[in-house]
Amino acid sequence: MRIFVIIFLFMILGVASCSTSKINNNQSSQSDTEINGDTIRIANDSLEYEVIVFEPGFGSWLQTQKPRGFYSKNYLEQRNQYYVTIYNSRVYSRPRLYPQEIDYQSHIDYGYEVNYMLYHYFLFFEQKYNQKLR
């Protein structure tokens, strides 16, 4: 059994503890999304993946962005593949800002929710750390 794990681990300090809530998503009923302060976890046992975002401010920033369904799944997949390639190329040259490679494989259907969250994480990352992934 292979588990695909995408972990973003940057500044864990400042993660507030709040009650956990579930988000129902019309686009991907198979994924469970849990938000606990600034920690966001998306999991789907049938596809064997898990996304965990530990980033102060990401949850509140995400609420100010375009809603789910605004972008097509195909658009998000293409942008994520592009961003992952650039991000992963910087992992070894800038390990403090890019601590771990992202295992994103274009032939796997991660579903809309994972692609939506990953795409927005890259936008947040660019803005917060003044990085250009383009």
Side-chain angles (χ1 to χ4, degrees), residues 69-118:
F70 183 84
Y71 301 105
S72 72
K73 183 179 164 194
N74 185 48
Y75 174 81
L76 295 173
E77 289 171 338
Q78 289 176 1
R79 299 306 305 159
N80 287 340
Q81 186 62 51
Y82 178 76
Y83 285 144
V84 164
T85 302
I86 294 169
Y87 184 96
N88 286 344
S89 71
R90 296 179 183 177
V91 167
Y92 297 106
S93 63
R94 301 178 193 166
R96 290 190 61 160
L97 190 55
Y98 300 83
Q100 184 173 347
E101 285 187 311
I102 298 171
D103 183 15
Y104 183 89
Q105 300 175 23
S106 60
H107 66 279
I108 295 174
D109 181 4
Y110 293 103
Y112 188 88
E113 184 69 10
V114 169
N115 282 290
Y116 176 84
M117 297 295 275
L118 183 58

Side-chain angles (χ1 to χ4, degrees), residues 119-132:
Y119 172 73
H120 281 88
Y121 179 76
F122 285 127
L123 298 180
F124 175 80
F125 180 84
E126 284 185 319
Q127 183 179 354
K128 182 173 182 176
Y129 296 105
N130 197 25
Q131 297 291 302
K132 297 291 181 201

Side-chain angles (χ1 to χ4, degrees), residues 9 12 20 40 48 51 53 55 58 64-65 67 69 75-76 81 84 92 100 108 121 128:
L9 182 59
I12 296 178
T20 301
I40 299 175
E48 300 176 350
V51 176
V53 179
E55 187 71 53
F58 179 68
T64 67
Q65 301 306 300
Y75 174 81
L76 295 173
Q81 186 62 51
V84 164
Y92 297 106
Q100 184 173 347
I108 295 174
Y121 179 76
K128 182 173 182 176

Side-chain angles (χ1 to χ4, degrees), residues 11-24:
M11 305 164 62
I12 296 178
L13 298 174
V15 175
S17 61
C18 298
S19 63
T20 301
S21 62
K22 296 232 180 200
I23 297 173
N24 292 328

